Structures are given as structure tokens and as C-alpha cells.
Amino acid sequence: WIGTLFVASMLYHKVRGGILIGIATLTLLSWTLEGTWPTSVFHLPEWNHANDYWHPLIVLDTSKMSVLYPAIASFVLICIFDISGVMYGLATL
């Protein structure tokens, strides 16, 4: 909630780039307080073939497919709401 107040006060005082400054400041503050500084700029995930959910025969194994259903449903809803928001924004221009 401190971050929300910080960004809101910067927006209230019409600071240019207030949201970006707020995100950067709160990120640095969080890293400092938690002691979890990043060790690299990019980190590629390790591919574990034991958990290969996209195998062509996955249709036959319902135990693994049940893990993917929530992710697929989430991305479908994200796409629907994202496209709806863009269309609404363009319609009100």
C-alpha cells in the first residue's frame, strides 16, 4: 500500500514519469529490504524433459493435461479482456 500511495502522490503532483519512477524506486526498495538482488540480466529456464507437457501423446495422459487446463483458460481470458480493453479504448478516441 505504500507503493500505491507513493505513485499516487507523484501522479497528483504531476511528476513526469511518475509511474516509472515509482516502479523503479519500489523495486530497488524491495530488493534492498529482502536482500534478493538479481544475479544476471537474463536467465533462461532449464528444460526438464521429465515434465514435457507438450508431447504429442499428451492427449492420452489426462493427469498431465489437467495441469495445462488452468493455464490455457487463464491465457484465453487474458486475451479476451485485453482485446476488449483495446477495442473499447479505440472506440472512445
Side-chain angles (χ1 to χ4, degrees), residues 9-65:
S9 86
M10 292 184 55
L11 290 175
Y12 177 77
H13 294 292
K14 296 185 181 3
V15 175
R16 293 188 69 162
I19 294 176
L20 185 60
I21 293 169
I23 290 172
T25 304
L26 292 170
T27 300
L28 292 172
L29 180 67
S30 172
W31 287 345
T32 303
L33 293 177
E34 295 175 4
T36 55
W37 289 87
T39 57
S40 64
V41 177
F42 296 104
H43 181 75
L44 296 175
E46 296 177 12
W47 189 259
N48 184 1
H49 290 288
N51 294 327
D52 191 6
Y53 291 113
W54 296 108
H55 192 273
L57 297 177
I58 195 67
V59 179
L60 303 176
D61 189 4
T62 57
S63 65
K64 288 185 180 178
M65 196 59 184

Side-chain angles (χ1 to χ4, degrees), residues 4-5 36 64 70 72-73:
T4 305
L5 290 176
T36 55
K64 288 185 180 178
I72 292 170

